[in-house]
Amino acid sequence: MAVDWADVYRRTYTDLVRFLHRLVWDADRAQDLAQEAFARALGQTPDNPRAWLFRVASNLAHDDARSAIRRKKHLVLIKGETETQQAVPDPQDLLEQQERVEAVRRSLARLSDRDRETILLWNAGLNYHDIAAATGLSASAVGTTLARARRRLVEAYDALEKHHVAR
Amino acid sequence: MSHVDEGNIHAYLDRQLEFAEPAAREALEAHVAECADCAALLDDARTLHAEATAVLRMSEPTTQDPPPFEVVTARAEGGAGRRTPTIARMRTLAWAASIVLAVAVGWYARPSFTNRTREAGVPTADVGLRSVASELQVEPAAESAAARGAVTFNTPETQPTVAPLDRRELQAAEQVVAAAVRDSIGVLQARQALAAAEGIRADRDNEIQALVQQRLARAAPQLEREQRRVADEVAEIAPVRARTTLADAPSLAEADQLAGVGGDGFAEGGAWREVDRTTAEQVLGTAIVAVDDLPIVGIFVPASGRAQVRVRQTLPSGRLLDLHLRRGTTAAPAAAAVATSGAPAERSAITDSTAMVILRVGELLVSGRAAVGRDSLTALLGRLREPPRLD
């Protein structure tokens, strides 16, 4: 059955960008990859378009990360905020925000690929059924995976915080 | 019911349990009401759930409205498999840069053309834009120049024939101009609009360029109002430098930076006023700092009266370095560590061509921004000193 990709785009684009942003940590790249995922989707007729898109986007992000490592490209941490703010950014606020984002990035990096992807998919708004379709997990395993991912994320973040305070 | 496992508890908290089995939610609640162990497990899971959500929320990206769906269709028609996102982006940025450069340099050149115009009795705005059209031949950077050839603006000998464009192509061109007018070539908006135009078949590029020029000319009065501040900023750059360095700018971000229209609001008309050093230090409540041995081309304070100062310096390359000075009232741990170790720089972010580094110098929080690499900027800010007083 044909897929109304324009409708899927309207309902999914923002979620997809949010998901990609925490994989590539670059606002422009996240948008670019989201558009690329949709461009590749046109003409396709997957059973679960939303899950299919996130799977393609995830693959694109992993390819992009490998390319970025080869190029030794630096990652953008606060560019999105600085570009969109109309007021002059407060250096203190920027510094603290940047530290928080960096801590989250490092915490997520300590998760396994499967755990990280699952928690980010949930955070992007997918339900368990879609997460299972996007990751290949069984629906009954999604809850267990999310429980483990949440625990490891919080533990990693707490460990970084303790290290930070101890400095 | 047997004890509940952690996966089911999280599915319950996520309101996903009932989707698999409608009665599962009631069954779990009934069990937890009678089983202290499972009730404790549920409490722990609820806490963990909230903490994990809070951690992720700290890195929530800035949300933006999606670009038109036509961006995607144009991209797909342009050959998704044949062109990587990186190359597509380069092409987008290249064209965006060409538009930015045309308008920015055009506005820079405007005063001299205005004088000529007055002598000739021709309306100012038209001539300002015509000066861009007749005098500029701006080549987009890198790959795009080879792919498209130089982007030539409406010179008599290269005037392209404007064939009828379809609706999608027309919309794409309109978006380019709308973005230019609305935001004085605002980075994000222009990128999104240009992304739509970027996917158009290469063989229609000349027609699109011509159409864009027509629309820009029509929008001249609006451009004049909206982009006066661009002209003010660019006027700070020496004429030769404006023509050479801007034309050499490898990306939109760098062109943006050179033109002084960065997204941090510094260039907003009326938001900042230029002052002398003494006034700036009175506003700040302490001595200013600047990079040693670099010329200071302007010191600014907010019109709002906030205790902040901007110091603008020029690098040997002619690029601009903006320093934002503010007295820090609460010491962030990292910044405090920097201060005690004496090493200046610490947190930084980098785009393709601009970098920002934030650091603490004594009681000041300083953010530096320039179209250079992060390492270079960090090294530069290691030379922050109180500038010598000439008197």
Side-chain angles (χ1 to χ4, degrees):
Chain A
M1 196 175 78
V3 176
D4 182 354
W5 284 111
D7 182 55
V8 177
Y9 180 81
R10 194 168 53 253
R11 290 186 291 109
T12 309
Y13 181 84
T14 304
D15 293 340
L16 195 61
V17 170
R18 182 196 288 149
F19 170 70
L20 284 163
H21 186 270
R22 290 186 177 117
L23 291 178
V24 299
W25 299 100
D26 181 322
D28 285 339
R29 288 301 289 161
Q31 295 230 22
D32 195 25
L33 292 174
Q35 289 167 24
E36 180 67 15
F38 275 104
R40 294 186 183 197
L42 300 184
Q44 304 285 336
T45 54
D47 292 336
N48 187 333
R50 193 169 157 86
W52 186 92
L53 269 171
F54 276 86
R55 188 166 68 241
V56 170
S58 176
N59 290 336
L60 286 172
H62 285 122
D63 291 346
D64 185 73
R66 282 192 285 272
S67 304
I69 289 169
R70 282 199 295 273
R71 294 194 305 271
K72 295 183 178 177
K73 181 180 177 182
H74 297 285
L75 299 177
V76 172
L77 299 179
I78 61 170
K79 187 172 65 168
E81 288 76 11
T82 57
E83 281 189 344
T84 53
Q85 282 178 353
Q86 292 302 308
V88 175
D90 183 320
Q92 178 84 49
D93 292 346
L94 272 178
L95 184 66
E96 290 172 357
Q97 166 66 10
Q98 194 174 356
E99 285 174 344
R100 286 194 292 269
V101 172
E102 174 63 10
V104 177
R105 189 186 69 77
R106 291 173 64 185
S107 301
L108 280 167
R110 295 188 182 186
L111 271 56
S112 69
D113 288 348
R114 171 59 53 84
D115 288 358
R116 180 169 53 251
E117 189 171 355
T118 304
I119 197 171
L120 293 182
L121 286 169
W122 169 256
N123 187 258
L126 269 66
N127 60 31
Y128 279 24
H129 175 72
D130 289 346
I131 292 173
T135 59
L137 285 168
S138 69
S140 60
V142 173
T144 306
T145 306
L146 271 176
R148 182 177 59 240
R150 285 168 175 151
R151 187 182 315 106
R152 289 181 177 170
L153 176 68
V154 171
E155 287 173 355
Y157 187 83
D158 286 348
L160 284 171
E161 283 289 284
K162 283 177 186 165
H163 177 71
H164 187 74
V165 171
R167 277 166 55 193
Chain B
M1 181 182 174
S2 60
H3 292 302
V4 291
D5 67 31
E6 194 178 26
N8 276 347
I9 287 182
H10 278 257
Y12 170 79
L13 293 172
D14 289 334
R15 297 188 167 274
Q16 297 290 301
L17 199 55
E18 51 271 47
F19 288 112
E21 191 180 338
R25 186 175 187 84
E26 288 77 9
L28 186 143
E29 287 174 343
H31 175 77
V32 168
E34 296 175 352
C35 175
D37 289 344
C38 288
L41 202 58
L42 177 60
D43 282 345
D44 289 347
R46 190 172 276 127
T47 302
L48 177 64
H49 191 284
E51 288 175 346
T53 303
V55 168
L56 285 175
R57 191 174 294 136
M58 283 188 284
S59 65
E60 196 70 34
T62 306
T63 56
Q64 296 169 10
D65 292 336
F69 185 61
E70 285 71 22
V71 170
V72 171
T73 55
R75 185 174 188 142
E77 288 167 17
R82 287 181 280 113
R83 205 169 60 209
T84 66
T86 301
I87 292 175
R89 187 178 175 205
M90 285 173 62
R91 289 170 61 93
T92 300
L93 290 176
W95 197 19
S98 71
I99 298 286
V100 170
L101 299 180
V103 176
V105 178
W107 276 99
Y108 167 75
R110 182 171 160 272
S112 61
F113 287 103
T114 303
N115 293 336
R116 281 189 231 165
T117 305
R118 284 185 183 134
E119 292 168 13
V122 182
T124 303
D126 283 346
V127 170
L129 285 162
R130 203 174 303 152
S131 68
V132 177
S134 60
E135 299 222 338
L136 274 183
Q137 289 196 337
V138 184
E139 288 196 13
E143 172 267 354
S144 183
R148 300 164 186 258
V151 178
T152 305
F153 284 94
N154 216 21
T155 54
E157 58 277 15
T158 57
Q159 175 74 50
T161 302
V162 182
L165 297 168
D166 65 29
R167 188 174 58 84
R168 178 174 55 80
E169 290 165 328
L170 202 63
Q171 284 177 343
E174 296 282 11
Q175 285 174 13
V176 173
V177 182
V181 172
R182 184 177 58 245
D183 200 48
S184 297
I185 322 295
V187 177
L188 290 176
Q189 287 84 350
R191 268 187 202 167
Q192 287 179 0
L194 286 160
E198 190 277 333
I200 291 167
R201 296 192 310 274
D203 60 357
R204 306 303 295 270
D205 275 0
N206 286 340
E207 297 160 31
I208 294 289
Q209 293 284 354
L211 188 66
V212 166
Q213 290 312 305
Q214 287 180 354
R215 295 293 190 273
L216 278 172
R218 194 179 299 166
Q222 212 173 344
L223 277 168
E224 182 176 11
R225 286 194 304 275
E226 297 295 327
Q227 297 185 327
R228 194 178 298 280
R229 60 187 169 91
V230 177
D232 292 342
E233 288 293 317
V234 176
E236 294 179 8
I237 306 171
V240 173
R241 188 184 305 149
R243 286 187 180 279
T244 56
T245 313
L246 278 173
D248 290 338
S251 72
L252 176 62
E254 187 162 355
D256 211 13
Q257 183 75 24
L258 284 164
V261 292
D264 61 0
F266 180 42
E268 283 181 9
W272 294 76
R273 60 187 175 89
E274 187 162 8
V275 296
D276 59 24
R277 177 177 176 177
T278 304
T279 305
E281 293 185 332
Q282 285 170 351
V283 169
L284 192 61
T286 187
I288 64 169
V289 294
V291 175
D292 208 14
D293 294 334
L294 289 184
I296 297 175
V297 296
I299 302 176
F300 307 84
V301 298
S304 64
R306 292 178 72 188
Q308 299 179 1
V309 168
R310 289 272 186 159
V311 178
R312 170 165 282 185
Q313 298 185 271
T314 52
L315 305 177
S317 64
R319 293 172 178 174
L320 297 175
L321 165 67
D322 277 328
L323 301 171
H324 180 190
L325 279 50
R326 176 179 176 277
R327 291 174 76 176
T329 50
T330 55
V338 170
T340 49
S341 70
E346 262 352 297
R347 292 290 187 270
S348 60
I350 190 164
T351 69
D352 288 343
S353 59
T354 67
M356 174 184 276
V357 171
I358 304 171
L359 57 110
R360 177 182 292 280
V361 180
E363 61 180 333
L364 286 177
L365 277 171
V366 182
S367 67
R369 181 176 167 138
V372 298
R374 182 183 56 182
D375 294 342
S376 301
L377 182 58
T378 302
L380 274 172
L381 297 191
R383 291 161 43 197
L384 280 175
R385 305 275 186 280
E386 183 181 338
R389 294 179 189 278
L390 298 177
D391 50 346

